[in-house]
Amino acid sequence: MSNLESFRNETRDWLEANCPDSMRTPIKSEKDICWGGKRFEFASDDQKIWLERMSSRGWTCPTWPEEYGGGGLSKEEAEILKEEMSRIKARPALISFGIWMLGPALLKYGTEEQKKHYLPQITRGEIRWAQGYSEPGAGSDLAALRTKGDDKGDHWVVNGQKVWTSYADECDWIFALVRTEPDAPKHLGISFLLIDMTWDGVSTKPIKLISGKSPFCETFFDDVEVPKENIVHEAGRGWDVAKYLLSHERANIAGGGSGAQMNPASAARQSGEVDEDGRISDPILRADIARLTIDALAFETTLQRIKDQADGGQGVGAKASMLKYYGTELNKRRHELNMSALGSDGLLWEGDNPEDGDPARSWLRSRANSIEGGTSEIQLNILAKRVLELPGG
Amino acid sequence: MTYILSEEEQMLRDSAQAFLAEKSPVSELRRLRDEGCKDGFRHAIWKDMAEMGWNGIVIPEEYGGVDMGYTAAGIILQEMGKTLAATPFLASSILCATALRYGGTEAQKSAHLPKIAEGEKVYALAVDEKARHDAKHIETRAKKDGNGFRLSGQKRFVACGNGADMLIVAARMDDESIGLFLVDPEADGVERTLRRSVDSHAPANIDFNDVKLDGDALLSETDDGAALLDAVLYAGRACLAAEQLGVAVEAFSRTIDYIKERDQFGQKIGSFQALQHRAADLLTEVEMTESLVVKALRQLDESPSQAPFWIAAAKGRATRVSRLSASEAIQMHGGVGMTDEYEIGFFYKRAQAAGEFLGDDAWCTARVAEMSGI
Ligand SMILES: Cc1cc2nc3c(=O)[nH]c(=O)nc-3n(C[C@H](O)[C@H](O)[C@H](O)COP(=O)(O)OP(=O)(O)OC[C@H]3O[C@@H](n4cnc5c(N)ncnc54)[C@H](O)[C@@H]3O)c2cc1C
């Protein structure tokens, strides 16, 4: 038996023995997601046990090195773990910005001390991270940010405001872009700082979204003292880190990770749109759903193809923008179609069950997919310039 | 399954590119059209392709082929789509070769497959009887007559039908099952009418008036003719999707080249964001389609029973996107895009014609709905 085969068997046995039954059901709503962090309240004992078991093997971050709390798995092994988890429909034990944004950036740009200190806490879900990029005057034009850090020798004093910081009021730490070299050119004056949200001068204020939720905040920095060792990479070179992290963020958003999975075909069944042969009876709805199915297959196969290219040593680069653009637009279409298929069932906002209103909330939330992490327009700009090499304006 | 081309496949692609650029660029299609070529393809080039081994690409070696499979065939067809090469490749080397390979008796295979592989004769498949593709609608009749059959009916828009030396005709038999018959177009009772098409191809309407066929005209290695026909058509669709992808890719890349060069308002038009965004969107659409086409072809080679679903998805999307790519190409070229002198219009025309052939976007989408239980 090959190594991979025996790895598969062991993994299968371990998952079978360790994944609680209630963690083998689809994620239905936000509360089913385990974000971790000091302030996180587990929805159930199983959710907590599942996180502990998975992180004790390093399997919340399977490919990170073991010395930093990861699983030390090869790409192939990590793929097998993923397959075996999806075989039993196991939920991810932990979802976090630490895993899919900060972690990769620290692995690439962090000092040894930073890696040793932060990464294991991320893998165990002990600290939850917020992303402090956007500001009121700097969204798409991120480098226009004005939050500033005054150099005081062994620390910076940070002042300014961030906006759209997802879950900031529930997070323990924030990684923030701060202008530390006021006289340098736009992209060269920015530093990437790690800031504890319990420090003096950090405060947050929630913003309510059209989905009725308010997981987004304004975050304020008021004379916050940030020690020099809390910088990632060099002073003034934060843009490199920011961009690297964005490419991971985009790949992830493109993957459609926005909470509950919607399936318009079963939505149509739920609302009774079926004929005696079990087919969706409205021919136009049926065609729309079939076309969406084809486009979703096109997207999935493209993810696979780009992965094959990357494994074969071809850089992915700006193609992350293609996936972000197409994946998020597709997800919006899926939610819209889901709402059409549900008819008035989809309009419910509040009811007796906790999951009542989920379709409408997820549909509304999905509109942000093509805004967060860089808007669709910005992705198209990137494709035009970097892939097609069209001339500048 | 991998989405990456193997070294062998890359070599095939490179040699196809080089060959077609030399022997069959778009100007060659224009020449065929302007000369009013009645066959719709150049016999000399077809012979050269046979020498490259292409014509027997899905034919077993014992019958003179190279048996490289449908992914390889798709690679060639994608390159043909880029130069709009008008050849009997799809009709003869894919559709008819597949029909013979899986439906022919030993004697039929030995008699016909080498002729296809060597390019000695051109074969065409006659299926459609309606304007919109529908292989379930077959009224052409093959009545049992002694040891043989009598064939009557009408086929429309048979691809390469006017230049074909041999036909494979789908007909309904006495028990209502489907049979595929080898028919000599020169036989008594066969009447061909050339139908020049918008893409400068030469399909034909073919009437069969009580045509007398021998018993061994029937491809009878399998007793389920409908399943055979279905498999043949799906193989054709997979390969045609690859050609459509080639059309989309080339129309797109010509457009990008053009908007990088063309000056208006004192700047390159490619610097205008309205065009940049449409170009980037098209890039995405084309890339998404390419993945599906590769998947469909590999499935056909590696697990044929799963292939029809992927092929319908790929052909449907390739139909949509090749038309989009070519119509955006005309728009972004502006006025010159509308001139006959400029080549871009040829791509638009081919996109339309290839889209109709063997089932358009609507047809394919309906199959996907059916097969996925929507
Ligand atoms: C749900 C949600 C969660 C988010 N989470 C976070 C987070 O955790 N941390 C964080 O830092 N940020 C977060 N963001 C912020 C997000 O990154 C910004 O909203 C986004 O980058 C767009 O910036 P903006 O909102 O200022 O829009 P603007 O930049 O003002 O854009 C407005 C419109 O103009 C278009 N536009 C702008 N520039 C161009 C151009 N050059 N060409 C063409 N069109 C253009 C945009 O595409 C958009 O349609 C989040 C946003 C949302 C909605």
Side-chain angles (χ1 to χ4, degrees):
Chain A
M1 192 160 37
S2 78
N3 285 341
L4 285 180
E5 257 175 89
S6 60
F7 177 78
R8 187 184 292 279
N9 290 337
E10 286 159 25
T11 303
R12 190 174 289 194
D13 293 345
W14 188 87
L15 287 172
E16 199 47 65
N18 288 282
C19 182
D21 286 345
S22 69
M23 295 292 107
R24 303 183 193 190
T25 55
I27 289 193
K28 281 225 199 93
S29 65
E30 276 276 316
K31 70 167 175 36
D32 294 338
I33 299 174
C34 177
W35 290 99
K38 295 196 175 70
R39 293 180 240 188
F40 184 70
E41 283 176 28
F42 289 96
S44 66
D45 288 346
D46 281 353
Q47 196 181 43
K48 184 155 182 258
I49 292 169
W50 182 221
L51 171 60
E52 283 166 4
R53 289 181 180 163
M54 283 291 278
S55 62
S56 72
R57 307 210 89 184
W59 281 2
T60 51
C61 301
T63 58
W64 294 9
E66 285 179 58
E67 52 183 319
Y68 307 134
L73 301 188
S74 68
K75 257 190 205 155
E76 292 80 13
E77 290 167 335
E79 194 58 38
I80 288 174
L81 172 61
K82 215 169 108 191
E83 285 167 13
E84 289 303 316
M85 284 179 66
S86 71
R87 205 176 56 81
I88 61 166
K89 303 197 176 60
R91 292 180 187 175
L94 178 66
I95 286 185
S96 88
F97 286 16
I99 295 177
W100 44 274
M101 294 194 213
L102 182 62
L106 278 182
L107 281 168
K108 182 165 166 85
Y109 290 103
T111 62
E112 192 52 34
E113 291 77 47
Q114 288 170 339
K115 292 184 205 173
K116 283 229 165 73
H117 182 68
Y118 295 107
L119 293 176
Q121 300 188 57
I122 292 175
T123 65
R124 294 193 295 261
E126 289 165 2
I127 42 173
R128 186 166 176 190
W129 289 87
Q131 178 187 33
Y133 276 26
S134 305
E135 297 183 12
S140 299
D141 185 12
L142 186 55
L145 61 93
R146 302 224 303 267
T147 293
K148 65 174 176 148
D150 288 324
D151 195 336
K152 303 285 176 181
D154 64 342
H155 68 277
W156 288 281
V157 171
V158 175
N159 277 289
Q161 182 198 341
K162 295 288 171 182
V163 72
W164 293 120
T165 28
S166 304
Y167 310 103
D169 52 349
E170 295 171 32
C171 288
D172 308 304
W173 282 72
I174 184 167
F175 49 91
L177 295 176
V178 174
R179 189 164 297 286
T180 52
E181 338 286 299
D183 302 325
K186 205 172 164 185
H187 290 90
L188 290 176
I190 298 170
S191 296
F192 190 100
L193 304 184
L194 307 177
I195 301 175
D196 187 327
M197 299 198 70
T198 61
W199 286 346
D200 283 348
V202 184
S203 61
T204 61
K205 197 172 130 210
I207 307 169
K208 196 167 174 180
L209 293 192
I210 54 176
S211 59
K213 297 256 169 78
S214 50
F216 304 92
C217 294
E218 293 176 286
T219 300
F220 302 92
F221 301 104
D222 210 352
D223 285 335
V224 181
E225 289 184 18
V226 181
K228 283 275 164 92
E229 69 254 28
N230 281 27
I231 187 171
V232 178
H233 202 34
E234 294 159 40
R237 303 299 300 271
W239 193 248
D240 299 344
V241 189
K243 272 198 316 193
Y244 182 74
L245 186 149
L246 272 176
S247 68
H248 282 265
E249 178 180 7
R250 281 170 189 160
N252 220 291
I253 296 177
S258 76
Q261 281 303 307
M262 294 297 151
N263 180 344
S266 45
R269 298 223 151 75
Q270 185 187 322
S271 59
E273 269 296 325
V274 274
D275 63 18
E276 56 272 24
D277 299 328
R279 306 188 315 181
I280 294 170
S281 42
D282 179 332
I284 296 186
L285 181 63
R286 184 167 187 251
D288 284 350
I289 294 177
R291 257 190 203 106
L292 182 90
T293 304
I294 294 175
D295 290 347
L297 292 171
F299 179 68
E300 278 161 31
T301 49
T302 302
L303 276 178
Q304 209 53 50
R305 182 160 65 97
I306 289 182
K307 203 165 141 287
D308 281 1
Q309 285 168 357
D311 291 350
Q314 289 170 261
V316 171
K319 283 199 174 148
S321 288
M322 193 168 84
L323 298 176
K324 160 75 165 80
Y325 167 62
Y326 198 81
T328 57
E329 296 294 339
L330 184 73
N331 201 41
K332 289 195 298 181
R333 269 170 65 201
R334 177 181 293 123
H335 279 279
E336 282 172 349
L337 210 49
N338 197 61
M339 288 297 282
S340 309
L342 284 170
S344 60
D345 283 356
L347 302 176
L348 190 64
W349 189 243
E350 271 164 13
D352 302 333
N353 302 312
E355 59 273 10
D356 283 341
D358 280 352
R361 283 177 219 284
S362 321
W363 160 63
L364 290 165
R365 175 61 180 82
S366 76
R367 305 313 298 173
N369 291 168
S370 52
I371 299 172
E372 61 198 327
T375 65
S376 283
E377 289 75 18
I378 295 301
Q379 308 313 316
L380 293 174
N381 284 350
I382 291 171
L383 291 171
K385 302 240 156 62
R386 300 226 208 109
V387 179
L388 299 175
E389 297 177 338
L390 290 173
Chain B
M1 207 211 97
T2 172
Y3 289 84
I4 309 282
L5 296 190
S6 68
E7 223 164 279
E8 201 185 14
E9 289 166 344
Q10 275 176 39
M11 275 163 51
L12 177 66
R13 187 193 54 196
D14 294 345
S15 69
Q17 221 164 46
F19 176 92
L20 292 164
E22 192 202 321
K23 304 265 180 167
S24 191
V26 183
S27 54
E28 169 63 17
L29 178 65
R30 180 192 294 280
R31 219 171 299 130
L32 284 172
R33 180 194 72 178
D34 293 348
E35 287 169 7
C37 175
K38 284 199 171 60
D39 289 346
F41 64 91
R42 190 89 60 203
H43 287 270
I45 298 177
W46 184 235
K47 278 274 183 206
D48 291 342
M49 287 183 189
E51 254 155 50
M52 306 278 291
W54 295 359
N55 297 5
I57 196 98
V58 300
I59 293 175
E61 285 169 25
E62 59 206 286
Y63 305 112
V66 295
D67 205 7
M68 283 179 74
Y70 293 97
T71 304
I75 287 167
I76 295 175
L77 265 158
Q78 186 176 340
E79 296 308 319
M80 288 179 167
K82 291 184 189 168
T83 67
L84 299 177
T87 77
F89 188 67
L90 187 71
S92 216
S93 304
I94 305 298
L95 291 167
C96 290
T98 302
L100 280 159
R101 175 172 189 171
Y102 295 108
T105 59
E106 188 50 44
Q108 287 166 333
K109 286 196 268 203
S110 333
H112 298 281
L113 285 175
K115 289 190 184 136
I116 294 180
E118 282 151 29
E120 188 193 320
K121 289 218 159 123
V122 168
Y123 286 58
L125 183 74
V127 177
D128 285 333
E129 300 179 8
K130 287 174 36 172
R132 299 192 74 239
H133 173 73
D134 178 5
K136 297 239 170 347
H137 177 99
I138 289 176
E139 289 180 352
T140 295
R141 281 278 163 188
K143 280 198 181 314
K144 194 99 185 100
D145 177 39
N147 282 337
F149 301 89
R150 292 275 179 175
L151 186 73
S152 290
Q154 296 169 337
K155 296 288 179 183
R156 302 174 58 125
F157 245 73
V158 176
C160 271
N162 212 54
D165 306 300
M166 184 61 86
L167 301 169
I168 295 182
V169 183
R172 218 164 266 291
M173 318 231 276
D174 293 334
D175 64 356
E176 299 301 315
S177 66
I178 300 287
L180 295 181
F181 293 88
L182 284 155
V183 182
D184 180 351
E186 300 299 325
D188 281 346
V190 182
E191 209 174 298
R192 286 198 269 200
T193 320
L194 169 64
R195 305 300 307 267
R196 287 188 192 288
S197 54
V198 66
D199 57 340
S200 307
H201 283 218
N205 284 1
I206 308 180
D207 287 3
F208 303 94
N209 302 310
D210 208 25
V211 181
K212 193 169 162 27
L213 302 175
D214 289 342
D216 62 5
L218 174 65
L219 300 190
S220 52
E221 190 50 33
T222 154
D223 43 17
D224 190 349
L228 171 65
L229 178 60
D230 210 37
V232 168
L233 292 174
Y234 270 108
R237 287 174 196 124
C239 293
L240 185 53
E243 186 194 333
Q244 293 174 300
L245 175 67
V247 170
V249 167
E250 181 66 16
F252 176 67
S253 89
R254 286 178 182 226
T255 305
I256 298 304
D257 290 347
Y258 186 77
I259 68 176
K260 280 181 182 167
E261 290 309 318
R262 171 74 173 165
D263 286 300
Q264 291 287 277
F265 301 98
Q267 51 193 309
K268 304 294 178 202
I269 59 173
S271 67
F272 296 128
Q273 199 182 50
L275 297 192
Q276 289 192 345
H277 280 195
R278 280 159 59 190
D281 179 68
L282 258 182
L283 166 75
T284 309
E285 292 288 354
V286 171
E287 290 270 348
M288 297 289 149
T289 308
E290 176 163 353
S291 317
L292 266 187
V293 170
V294 174
K295 173 86 180 184
L297 289 163
R298 292 249 193 254
Q299 284 280 350
L300 191 53
D301 284 328
E302 292 169 21
S303 46
S305 65
Q306 307 299 310
F309 174 74
W310 290 98
I311 293 170
K315 167 78 166 73
R317 204 163 204 290
T319 296
R320 240 193 294 157
V321 170
S322 59
R323 288 176 184 174
L324 176 71
S325 178
S327 72
E328 282 285 77
I330 293 187
Q331 182 64 24
M332 292 196 218
H333 276 80
V336 292
M338 288 298 296
T339 61
D340 183 68
E341 190 190 333
Y342 219 78
E343 287 180 348
I344 203 74
F346 283 77
F347 287 88
Y348 186 60
K349 295 174 186 176
R350 181 62 192 149
Q352 186 62 29
E356 290 311 314
F357 190 40
L358 303 180
D360 65 2
D361 169 34
W363 187 91
C364 291
T365 305
R367 298 293 84 70
V368 168
E370 209 170 274
M371 287 186 257
S372 54
I374 294 173

